[in-house]
Amino acid sequence: MATFEVLHFPDERLRKKAVPVEKINDQIVTIAKNMLETMYDEGGIGLAATQVNIQKRIVVIDLSENRDAPLFLINPEILEKDGIETMREGCLSVPDYFEVVERAETIKYQYTNLDNQLVVDTTDGLLAVCIQHEIDHLNGKLFIDYLSPLKRQRLKKKIEKQEKLQHNVL
Ligand code: K2U
Ligand code: ZN
């Protein structure tokens, strides 16, 4: 197994829109499994291929306590949304920053699993938030895009200042 480098905001490659997976072959399975390894290594509960500079519509998620119940979502789509919920979100591509984001409370969604089966399901809670967060990544959108322009600008300046400090230290 291998792991990928996770891109960090404001890397413009995070803004690329991922394309649908045409055929689930060995290459796609290997990418998905390496993404899962990367997610576990980074301490995340979800990861989209865009975050590792792969512009394919692949998402991995594992919300389990023992980190042993992975979900592999190929070409995930949200079919229906209902209600509103707010949750404090973080992101592996925006380290050390957390903000409250408003999203749909319940979603009906579909995806193709690694056995090439179409799965259609409805969920709410953390899984619903995670799926919406990851599909945003596939569309080049970050959770900080829901912030006010002022908050987003302040965050960008904070990260650029941190990068300058790190650069001077190295
Ligand atoms: O896409 C990602 O960056 C992974 C997110 C998934 C997620 C975000 C918001 C709400 C639910 C799931 C991270 O796994 S969130 C947790 C986190 C954040 C920063 C560092 C480590 C873990
Ligand atoms: Zn994220």
Side-chain angles (χ1 to χ4, degrees):
M1 293 284 231
T3 59
F4 297 114
E5 179 203 351
V6 176
L7 301 177
H8 289 166
F9 173 82
D11 192 315
E12 278 305 309
R13 291 173 292 180
L14 286 167
R15 299 307 184 171
K16 291 183 177 181
K17 188 169 169 63
V19 298
V21 170
E22 300 290 324
K23 184 175 170 18
I24 298 175
N25 54 27
D26 290 349
Q27 184 207 27
I28 298 299
V29 172
T30 301
I31 288 170
K33 290 188 174 174
N34 289 340
M35 282 174 60
L36 187 68
E37 189 81 12
T38 303
M39 185 193 81
Y40 288 145
D41 273 9
E42 296 281 330
I45 55 177
L47 187 71
T50 309
Q51 293 177 271
V52 292
N53 196 28
I54 294 174
Q55 282 76 38
K56 294 181 187 292
R57 300 188 79 81
I58 303 170
V59 164
V60 295
I61 292 173
D62 189 342
L63 305 184
S64 66
E65 282 281 309
N66 299 330
R67 316 287 271 158
D68 59 357
L71 275 177
F72 298 96
L73 298 89
I74 309 300
N75 301 329
E77 288 177 54
I78 293 172
L79 304 175
E80 291 169 22
K81 292 182 174 182
D82 187 37
I84 294 174
E85 63 75 43
T86 56
M87 185 181 286
R88 192 164 179 268
E89 296 191 16
C91 180
L92 296 174
S93 294
V94 189
D96 310 320
Y97 191 79
F98 299 86
E99 269 291 349
V100 175
V101 177
E102 190 176 277
R103 293 190 190 270
E105 182 181 28
T106 305
I107 60 168
K108 182 179 179 184
Y109 62 104
Q110 76 171 42
Y111 65 91
T112 302
N113 65 21
L114 293 187
D115 296 322
N116 218 21
Q117 295 161 324
L118 183 68
V119 175
V120 182
D121 204 348
T122 299
T123 192
D124 58 7
L126 182 56
L127 182 56
V129 172
C130 190
I131 290 171
Q132 293 174 82
H133 179 108
E134 302 310 336
I135 291 178
D136 270 356
H137 273 302
L138 298 179
N139 295 325
K141 196 170 177 110
L142 298 171
F143 82 103
I144 55 174
D145 297 344
Y146 295 96
L147 306 180
S148 67
L150 179 63
K151 270 193 174 181
R152 199 160 60 241
Q153 193 51 28
R154 280 182 181 156
L155 171 65
K156 194 166 181 190
K157 285 202 182 318
K158 177 186 158 199
I159 289 172
E160 284 163 352
K161 192 175 169 193
Q162 281 170 345
E163 281 176 347
K164 268 201 195 109
L165 285 171
Q166 277 174 355
H167 182 75
N168 293 341
V169 164
L170 295 178

